[in-house]
Amino acid sequence: MAGKFCVSLTRSTDDTDRATVAFVVANAAVASGQETMVFLSVEGVRLAVAGVADEVHEPGFQPLKELMTSFVQAGGTILVCSPCFKKRDLDATKLVPGATIVGGARLVEFLSQGAACVSY
């Protein structure tokens, strides 16, 4: 039975290992039939901007950009914390495909429906 799964990510280029593993897990969740959402907050919101993940490639893993692309193509969603994004003065016109800027209420709504969640 399919359920809901959330990956909460607070890191980006400041901790590429965590960012990469978060998307590895997100890909595994969506591939197993879970309705999967990655919630980017704090520094993680930087990954929502096109080009930021392009040069991230941890040894032993697929490049981060490929992981993010395959996640969205498999049906996963990327939600971006609006206050975190605004605080960093990032450009909302340059979002990666599949990313949506939302308020915290969307995360609460998703989790309140019984979603499991892991944090990186």
Side-chain angles (χ1 to χ4, degrees), residues 15-37:
D15 190 338
T16 57
D17 196 24
R18 286 181 195 257
T20 298
V21 172
F23 274 94
V24 168
V25 171
N27 273 287
V30 77
S32 67
Q34 300 291 309
E35 179 183 342
T36 307
M37 176 261 286

Side-chain angles (χ1 to χ4, degrees), residues 48-97:
V49 177
V52 171
D54 290 2
E55 302 302 319
V56 178
H57 189 186
E58 286 292 318
F61 294 96
Q62 286 182 279
L64 183 55
K65 181 179 179 181
E66 288 180 22
L67 289 166
M68 293 174 68
T69 299
S70 63
F71 173 69
V72 171
Q73 288 175 344
T77 58
I78 300 173
L79 300 183
V80 183
C81 170
S82 177
C84 303
F85 196 86
K86 288 178 183 172
K87 175 184 175 183
R88 287 159 180 81
D89 198 28
L90 299 173
D91 188 348
T93 66
K94 296 182 178 177
L95 291 178
V96 296

Side-chain angles (χ1 to χ4, degrees), residues 11 13 19 35 43 52 62 74 83 88 95 101 106 111 115 119:
R11 303 296 188 157
T13 54
E35 179 183 342
E43 282 298 305
V52 171
Q62 286 182 279
R88 287 159 180 81
L95 291 178
I101 297 174
R106 285 283 298 274
L111 293 176
S119 297

Side-chain angles (χ1 to χ4, degrees), residues 94-110:
K94 296 182 178 177
L95 291 178
V96 296
T100 304
I101 297 174
V102 299
R106 285 283 298 274
L107 175 63
V108 172
E109 177 185 355
F110 192 83

